[in-house]
């Protein structure tokens, strides 16, 4: 229903109440409805799931249509990110949010800062999803409120052309609400625990859940050592649990992103169940590092498997974990990915140790031999030293081409001495084009940075503290923060407006008319920041 039609219907409704609702203004109600478009988290999940599905189709048609997101650890950060995107690009198309379990653990746990080992409260994940969308919905309310005020000003001045322009913009308003890909870690327990948490996350608004194939109680950050994977059937039970949660809640377009940590995980806690040679369990066990066993070398407590008619003893560590054969990581990633896609996953996530397009593409090519439209979500991780990695890649390429690299020391390529060199410039260009090139070559549909706003908060706070508590004093804040906010048009320079003060004033006027005591009068210091 359009804005104008809604006003007409509400006018009729108010008129039908025999004068008892005459203090209610139909247009004000319609404005409040537009400012509160999404009534529940499930409304958001259904809406954003359709966006992701359409974007996936667009990527299949042309890999230039890849999507992006930044990880956000607070609703305000997500809000400012989307306000900035609308300001600079005019649209939120193909820009999402990412919710990182790492940042929940490090920043949002009641235990205080924790490592990324699923030790934080599972309820903190859906709570953050709800918070993200609360702030994005408030961004809608704020921006629409300013547009409504402009409509009133145009009417007051008799400028009908401007009024119609604004009404058209309101009718075609694009919300700040975008898809969130939310990290459910390894499921926080068994499949039932995964299902219960998935429900809470979807009810909070998540349209895409990312789940990894590590053991829940041994879960590690994807870029740390000591990762332990589970057999495929154990993992697929959790994938199905997520799908059941989506379907139960009526989010039929819900997205499941399955992440494999097998590239860096050399251990497993369980030997898979196998019923026939070559079945999924047998394929998993085929990667185990084993030695042949005879009655003479058998020891107490040995676990024995049958491999091609031979009795084999998997190598078991003192931790009671079993290890895979070295060099099998890529093969296991490919099998994990194909198996996930054949059992209900929509997108893949392969956690790598470096950002190398051909390494990723080599695995994706093998996956696409079986599932031609396989697509990845890829972690453009802050755990990578992007400068060093790409300078080394360029250096190694030059060596293979026979180019002279005598001016460079590969061991110290991170040095500022190389910033202005040809090698440094070529590496930077490869970093700049990494997302577009890997989307085209390596099947990456979605690029995200997991922890960027964790790092930007630390960096900006360090810069402010250095200046403010140093010789610059207050000038450190004014030069580095406020003057930049004003000149770059950062919305929250008017922090009272950003926090909802003007929305509150509008409501006071709706409720009390001319008797309203409003905060945004002539003596509000925010008027110093008028455009």
């Amino acid at each position: 229903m359009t804005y104008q039609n809604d006003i007409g219907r509400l006018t009729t409704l108010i008129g039908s109440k025999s004068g008892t609702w005459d203090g209610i203004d139909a247009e004000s109600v319609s404005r409040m409805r537009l400012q509160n478009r999404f009534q529940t988290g499930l409304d958001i999940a259904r809406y954003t799931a359709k966006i992701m599905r359409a974007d996936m189709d667009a990527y299949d048609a042309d890999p230039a249509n890849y999507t992006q997101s930044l990880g956000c650890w607070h609703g305000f950060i997500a809000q400012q990110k989307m306000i900035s995107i609308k300001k600079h690009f005019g649209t939120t198309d193909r820009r999402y949010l990412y919710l990182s379990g790492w940042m929940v653990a490090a920043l949002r746990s009641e235990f205080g800062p924790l490592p990324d080992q699923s030790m934080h409260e599972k309820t903190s994940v859906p709570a953050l999803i709800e918070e993200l969308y609360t702030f994005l919905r408030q961004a809608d309310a704020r921006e629409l409120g300013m547009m409504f005020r402009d409509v009133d000003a145009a009417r007051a001045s008799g400028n009908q052309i401007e009024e119609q322009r604004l009404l058209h913009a309101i009718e075609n308003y694009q919300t700040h609400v975008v898809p969130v890909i939310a990290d459910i870690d390894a499921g926080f327990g068994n499949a039932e625990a995964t299902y219960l948490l998935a429900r809470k996350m979807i009810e909070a608004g998540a349209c895409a859940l990312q789940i990894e194939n590590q053991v829940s109680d041994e879960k590690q950050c994807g870029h740390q050592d000591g990762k332990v994977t589970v057999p495929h059937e154990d993992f697929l039970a959790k994938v199905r649990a997520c799908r059941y949660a989506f379907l139960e809640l009526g989010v039929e377009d819900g997205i499941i992103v399955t992440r494999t940590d097998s590239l860096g995980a050399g251990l497993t806690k369980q030997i898979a169940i196998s019923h026939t040679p070559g079945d999924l369990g047998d394929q998993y066990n085929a990667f185990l590092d084993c030695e042949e066993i005879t009655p003479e070398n058998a020891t107490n407590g040995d676990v024995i498997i049958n491999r091609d008619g031979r009795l084999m003893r998997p190598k078991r560590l003192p931790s009671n974990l079993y290890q895979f054969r070295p060099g099998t990581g890529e093969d296991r990633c490919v099998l994990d990915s194909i198996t996930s896609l054949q059992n209900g996953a929509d997108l893949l996530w392969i956690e790598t140790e470096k950002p190398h397009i051909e390494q990723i593409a080599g695995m994706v090519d093998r996956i696409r031999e079986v599932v031609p439209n396989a697509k990845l979500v890829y972690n453009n991780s802050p755990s990578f030293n992007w400068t060093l990695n790409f300078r080394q890649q360029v250096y190694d390429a030059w060596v293979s081409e026979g180019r002279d690299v005598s001016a460079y020391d590969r061991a110290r390529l991170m040095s500022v001495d190389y910033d202005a060199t040809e090698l440094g410039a070529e590496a930077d260009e490869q970093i700049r084009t990494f997302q577009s090139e890997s989307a085209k070559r390596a099947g990456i549909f979605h690029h995200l940075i997991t922890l960027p706003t964790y790092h930007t908060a630390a960096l900006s706070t360090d810069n402010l503290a250095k200046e403010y508590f140093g010789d610059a004093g207050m000038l450190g804040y004014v030069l580095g923060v406020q003057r930049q906010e004003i000149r770059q048009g950062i919305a929250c320079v008017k922090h009272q407006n950003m926090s909802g003060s003007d929305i509150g004033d509008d409501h006071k006027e709706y409720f009390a008319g001319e008797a309203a005591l409003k905060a945004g009068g002539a003596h509000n210091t925010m008027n110093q920041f008028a455009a």
Side-chain angles (χ1 to χ4, degrees), residues 124 234 290:
S124 60
D234 293 46
C290 299

Side-chain angles (χ1 to χ4, degrees), residues 496-507:
Q496 307 284 17
N497 167 269
M498 184 57 63
S499 69
S501 179
D502 289 344
I503 296 172
D505 275 358
D506 290 340
H507 291 172

